[in-house]
Amino acid sequence: MAGADSTLPFRQFVLKVHSRCDLACDHCYVYEHADQSWRGRPAVISPETVAKAAERIADHAKDHGLPAVRVILHGGEPLLAGAHRLAAISRELRRAIEPSCQLDLRIHTNGVRLDAEFCEVLLANRVMVGISLDGDRAANDLHRRYANGRSSYDQVLRAVGLLRQERYRGIYAGLLATIDVRSDPGAVYHALAALEPPNLDFLLPHGTWDNPPPGAGTPGVTPYADWLIAVFGEWNSSGRRVPVRLFESIIATSLGGVSGTESLGLAPSDVLVIETDGTLEQADSIKVAYDGAPATGLHISRHPLDAAAVHPAIRARQQGIRGLSATCRKCPVVTSCGGGLYAHRYRKENGFDNPSVYCADLLKIIGHVRSRLRSPSRAVAAGRPRAHQLAAGHFDVLAAGFGDGEAVTQLITAQRSVQRALLRLLREHAKKGADDRFLAAWALLVHLEKEHPAETGRVLAHPYVRTWAERCLQSVSAAGLPADAGYLAAIVAAVAVRAGAPAAIEAPVRAGYVYLPTLGRLRVGSARTVEIVTGCTGAQVRSSARSWDVRLTGQALSQDWQPVRDLRAGRLAVSLEDTDPYRDCLQWPAAPRLDAAGVARWQEQFVLAWRLIESAYPAYAAGLATGLSTLTPLADRGADGNVSAAARHAFGAVGAALPQDADTLALLLIHEFQHVKLGAVLDLFELCDPADQRLFYAPWRADLRPLEALLQGAYAHIGVTDYWRIRRHRADGPEAVAAEERFARWRVLTAETIDTLAGSGALTPLGTRFVEGMRATVIPWLDEPVPDRAMQAAREWVTSRPSSSRK
Ligand code: SF4
């Protein structure tokens, strides 16, 4: 759920440190497209402009309470600024910004100048390095050449070789490749994957409807989709061993998660560009539209960054589905596509109010990826109902929108079976692929479970362990399990640590951390794996360079250890999960690690919210107390934007950005736990016909929704309606009026949606029984008296909904 957005803050800043380039790539958006503003800018950023930019970013982060920001040193070619200047820029940024929030500092380079001196400077200043490389030599040489036509390939490969060395591996961020459909997709993919990038991104070449990239926007042909489908096939059949951001974003958004790239999805843009002369601009890609397109008329010396945040052109890119063309708003893949990159929608006659010039390609590649998504948990759950039938009474109490401790305990038991069935499926694939590491970890897990069933159960029940298992099963290929399956060793290590059992386990390192699910994470730097030796006093973690002691109780022995902390309210304790790598499954981005003050704010609100739920909403309290295990902080989305989410495959976890007050937190918890309960019911029973592909109007969304999502929304809004129904009697004055209006609004819309579900003709017999249970709760609410003024306000709200999204 997300409230109205006001000023959405920037979280990513592209700082142009040098405006010239030593290559002459003919597909470059800075020099080769309509906007030529680089000609009038200083070649190098001045120390004064850097200092002002750092101060403005720090102020912006402080004003919006941002826990972290990302700054990308960019160009032209940023290495032309020289190693000493880059060191000074990095130090200044860290000096000014880090007292306010975490700084994720990056550089994006063509790589040709990257040598050991640069690497040392970037390592010392913790600057992550992304490199542009279009594929194998043949693909790269199509565009990435010096002005005299000479290839840049050998220099770039040497630079990537440096980053792959043990010493620099921790600052290797990944590779970005711009697609040319004349190149061989298989050769491109395998050449890039062989360089083991921590992330690989494929970019569509920039263009517009007036000036389309070769082959794009031509009816009947989809060269970019066809090329990407071929890469997707290679990626799949070779075990998805390299994370490809484009494909992972399509998969994540198709499963209700968040896109990892600005070029796809509905997340609002949060990028601001600061040029070498201090002017503030929109994203570089808009340069392709017309000369001056990225301009805002603002300057770092005269304007705070909020002035850019409310600039109409930037706001236009922050409106999610409301900011898209009518065609996109009705599109079945809009949640994954989001209309494509903003720049690619441009047409002289009507600006950006168009689908992407890549529309046909996007539709095809998204459809292709979606068609390859397996549903492992469905397959597993298909065998579950006989083993885990809910007692009829529990089914009916859940259908009514509630669910006491006993009903939720039955869901927990069923989830345990689903989780174990998923693990067994993984083991079957490991056996087929003779994956010795997985099988060794499995054998240890089986041993630990015999000796320490409680600790094993505790770790396996962690919501994001299932997310991991689901993702691995999605990625099984002819080559066997994906590399991610190695995380089983971390799961086993967490069990051994909890149990105090002796074991020696080699566990994978991800982005500089080794993770122990349910316990926390340890910063270990650039090692690829570590050895975890466990015993009765905790664990010792050893890399080739050093070792760390980890204890579960008492003083933390190392600042590198970041334990999962608990939120407590009376006897209730839930994990405040801000470390787990799989918490990115929620619809909104997860917040980075919270500092102590952030945890204290959560704790304060959690106690108050829980008191309110216990006293005013007992029909939800028992279920929540039994089933809510994990609260994941999400990145907030502005001053009044309440953000919360639950993931279909993360039973027990609710995500939320800390709202303004505890009452709202109570509402978010009730709302999202409805999704958690229904997700577990759907694991047990088919309530909707899965073959039904229709989309339906959902009053809480601007896009049309499939039937199961409509059911989820209606079920969650029983909780929302009930919250306001009770709240109106507990509040006074304007708050009571607002609560009456919201109750009047949501009881009608929820009842209407239940009618839509019941009339869809696509419910199974059990689905019909479930929906009738929902209806039996909501219908009596329609007769409860509400003041005329509130009814009128509710009617006005309903009629103000965008009619284009109504069916
Ligand atoms: S596929 Fe086309 S119509 Fe659909 S959202 Fe993307 S650009 Fe819009």
Side-chain angles (χ1 to χ4, degrees):
M1 148 173 183
D5 47 351
S6 57
T7 304
L8 290 181
F10 298 108
R11 295 167 193 275
Q12 301 190 65
F13 303 89
V14 174
L15 183 65
K16 300 294 189 74
V17 297
H18 202 288
S19 64
R20 306 292 190 267
C21 191
D22 42 3
L23 290 183
C25 310
D26 58 6
H27 57 5
C28 176
Y29 51 77
V30 177
Y31 305 109
E32 303 296 334
H33 283 297
D35 181 275
Q36 289 290 305
S37 52
W38 64 274
R39 292 178 185 278
R41 298 219 159 92
V44 193
I45 196 167
S46 70
E48 294 73 30
T49 304
V50 172
K52 195 68 194 169
E55 179 194 325
R56 292 288 194 202
I57 294 170
D59 288 347
H60 190 71
K62 232 180 286 167
D63 292 347
H64 290 277
L66 300 180
V69 294
R70 173 177 290 180
V71 177
I72 305 156
L73 307 178
H74 214 284
E77 169 46 45
L79 296 186
L80 284 174
H84 290 305
R85 195 178 274 114
L86 287 177
I89 291 170
S90 304
R91 281 197 299 271
E92 177 60 17
L93 289 166
R94 290 207 179 278
R95 186 197 62 74
I97 297 171
E98 287 194 326
S100 313
C101 70
Q102 290 176 37
L103 172 61
D104 173 6
L105 188 54
R106 292 174 180 245
I107 191 165
H108 188 78
T109 170
N110 63 30
V112 297
R113 283 172 186 260
L114 190 76
D115 58 13
E117 186 194 355
F118 273 116
C119 283
E120 282 302 317
V121 164
L122 298 170
L123 180 66
N125 290 284
R126 291 174 286 138
V127 184
M128 300 291 292
V129 186
I131 291 199
S132 294
L133 178 64
D134 289 350
D136 59 340
R137 182 185 293 276
N140 201 64
D141 287 357
L142 286 172
H143 302 284
R144 308 195 69 81
R145 292 176 174 272
Y146 289 92
N148 64 7
R150 191 161 56 90
S151 165
S152 63
Y153 188 70
D154 291 332
Q155 280 90 338
V156 182
L157 231 57
R158 185 185 38 73
V160 177
L162 263 177
L163 291 176
R164 292 173 67 201
Q165 289 179 7
E166 192 68 28
R167 178 161 178 77
Y168 303 123
R169 204 167 166 87
I171 57 168
Y172 183 19
L175 301 175
L176 282 94
T178 300
I179 298 167
D180 186 319
V181 293
R182 292 172 298 171
S183 61
D184 176 340
V188 166
Y189 172 71
H190 289 295
L192 295 172
L195 301 176
E196 302 180 299
N199 264 299
L200 175 56
D201 219 354
F202 287 105
L203 310 178
L204 291 163
H206 291 317
T208 66
W209 285 101
D210 302 320
N211 189 14
T218 310
V221 294
T222 51
Y224 294 89
D226 299 338
W227 194 92
L228 283 167
I229 285 170
V231 172
F232 183 76
E234 297 293 327
W235 184 60
N236 249 345
S237 60
S238 55
R240 302 187 184 181
R241 300 208 175 262
V242 170
V244 177
R245 198 145 60 148
L246 182 88
F247 300 144
E248 294 199 331
S249 292
I250 294 173
I251 292 168
T253 49
S254 300
L255 298 174
V258 69
S259 171
T261 165
E262 197 200 1
S263 60
L264 289 175
L266 290 168
S269 166
D270 59 3
V271 183
L272 182 67
V273 177
I274 304 169
E275 289 286 350
T276 52
D277 62 355
T279 52
L280 301 177
E281 297 221 324
Q282 301 175 64
D284 267 352
S285 52
I286 301 176
K287 288 179 189 292
V288 73
Y290 52 89
D291 196 13
T296 63
L298 304 170
H299 194 278
I300 199 95
S301 65
R302 298 187 296 277
H303 303 100
L305 302 189
D306 267 4
V310 297
H311 189 281
I314 286 177
R315 294 210 69 152
R317 302 172 56 221
Q318 296 184 326
Q319 293 173 357
I321 197 163
R322 285 176 291 131
L324 300 185
S325 67
T327 309
C328 292
R329 289 202 299 269
K330 289 189 220 129
C331 174
V333 302
V334 69
T335 48
S336 288
C337 176
L341 196 69
Y342 190 68
H344 299 168
R345 302 173 204 163
Y346 183 76
R347 194 193 290 269
K348 212 170 193 172
E349 64 204 58
N350 64 345
F352 295 93
D353 188 19
N354 303 294
S356 167
V357 67
Y358 286 107
C359 178
D361 292 278
L362 291 168
L363 199 55
K364 189 168 177 181
I365 180 64
I366 293 168
H368 180 82
V369 172
R370 287 185 174 187
S371 73
R372 298 302 186 273
L373 293 179
R374 300 183 189 92
S375 184
S377 57
R378 274 261 161 109
V380 171
R384 291 291 111 216
R386 276 178 301 281
H388 284 291
Q389 284 288 5
L390 277 176
H394 290 141
F395 180 89
D396 289 334
V397 81
L398 285 162
F402 309 113
D404 56 15
E406 272 184 48
V408 173
T409 299
Q410 287 208 3
L411 295 180
I412 292 171
T413 308
Q415 283 295 306
R416 196 175 300 152
S417 297
V418 170
Q419 174 65 293
R420 275 152 208 268
L422 290 170
L423 286 171
R424 279 197 296 275
L425 278 180
L426 283 174
R427 189 196 47 164
E428 291 311 309
H429 288 294
K431 272 164 101 179
K432 267 189 230 150
D435 187 331
D436 292 340
R437 279 196 178 179
F438 187 96
L439 294 172
W442 177 272
L444 186 51
L445 183 66
V446 170
H447 166 74
L448 286 169
E449 178 157 42
K450 264 190 212 136
E451 303 288 322
H452 308 282
E455 288 79 6
T456 309
R458 170 83 173 80
V459 175
L460 295 187
H462 188 49
Y464 301 132
V465 168
R466 176 167 172 193
T467 306
W468 160 78
E470 294 270 357
R471 283 193 193 168
C472 287
L473 286 165
Q474 291 277 359
S475 306
V476 172
S477 67
L481 289 172
D484 233 9
Y487 187 67
L488 181 67
I491 294 168
V492 176
V495 174
V497 174
R498 279 193 170 277
I505 301 152
E506 187 184 358
V509 174
R510 302 164 60 108
Y513 289 92
V514 61
Y515 292 87
L516 295 175
T518 71
L519 295 173
R521 67 180 180 184
L522 179 73
R523 189 168 32 218
V524 295
S526 59
R528 289 183 196 200
T529 60
V530 290
E531 188 186 27
I532 304 177
V533 180
T534 62
C536 54
T537 58
Q540 188 172 67
V541 180
R542 300 170 186 162
S543 75
S544 56
R546 58 169 291 196
S547 68
W548 297 258
D549 285 320
V550 173
R551 300 277 179 272
L552 295 191
T553 52
Q555 245 355 59
L557 296 178
S558 164
Q559 294 227 326
D560 292 325
W561 173 239
Q562 299 178 345
V564 174
R565 292 154 293 188
D566 279 349
L567 295 176
R568 290 181 180 276
R571 278 179 297 152
L572 180 66
V574 304
S575 299
L576 185 67
E577 181 57 87
D578 59 359
T579 63
D580 195 284
Y582 295 94
R583 72 193 196 284
D584 63 355
C585 58
L586 297 162
Q587 188 191 355
W588 307 98
R593 173 81 172 169
L594 299 181
D595 60 17
V599 176
R601 282 194 292 277
W602 268 101
Q603 176 59 50
E604 197 181 324
Q605 273 207 16
F606 183 69
V607 170
L608 297 173
W610 184 246
R611 267 189 216 144
L612 177 66
I613 290 172
E614 270 191 314
S615 60
Y617 302 97
Y620 303 90
L624 271 161
T626 308
L628 179 69
S629 64
T630 303
L631 239 171
T632 297
L634 300 178
D636 70 285
R637 308 204 65 82
D640 63 352
N642 291 319
V643 174
S644 61
R648 174 71 173 76
H649 297 139
F651 180 84
V654 163
L658 187 65
Q660 299 284 337
D661 55 70
D663 292 3
T664 307
L665 181 58
L667 169 61
L668 300 182
L669 291 176
I670 288 171
H671 174 157
E672 298 303 341
F673 198 68
Q674 295 289 98
H675 288 301
V676 171
K677 286 185 292 187
L678 181 54
V681 172
L682 287 165
D683 277 340
L684 290 170
F685 308 113
E686 206 83 82
L687 300 184
C688 309
D689 176 3
D692 192 288
Q693 298 289 312
R694 288 172 297 163
L695 297 174
F696 297 84
Y697 167 69
W700 46 85
R701 297 273 297 222
D703 55 337
L704 303 176
R705 306 295 287 155
L707 197 67
E708 187 177 304
L710 195 71
L711 175 62
Q712 280 277 9
Y715 192 72
H717 277 81
I718 289 178
V720 172
T721 309
D722 206 9
Y723 174 89
W724 294 115
R725 174 176 158 270
I726 292 166
R727 172 103 184 131
R728 66 203 172 119
H729 298 307
R730 295 173 59 92
D732 301 316
E735 266 191 47
V737 174
E740 291 280 13
E741 188 269 312
R742 287 192 169 93
F743 169 57
R745 177 198 302 177
W746 288 118
R747 67 178 180 176
V748 170
L749 293 173
T750 307
E752 274 180 18
T753 309
I754 289 171
D755 281 347
T756 306
L757 287 162
S760 68
L763 295 177
T764 62
L766 265 182
T768 300
R769 178 168 160 179
F770 195 87
V771 169
E772 287 311 315
M774 291 164 61
R775 193 204 294 273
T777 297
V778 175
I779 294 300
W781 293 346
L782 295 172
D783 293 331
E784 292 189 14
V786 168
D788 289 346
R789 217 167 55 159
M791 280 302 294
Q792 182 58 24
R795 256 183 237 118
E796 282 167 15
W797 188 90
V798 170
T799 49
S800 72
R801 300 287 297 152
S803 58
S804 60
S805 60
R806 282 181 172 272
K807 198 171 175 216

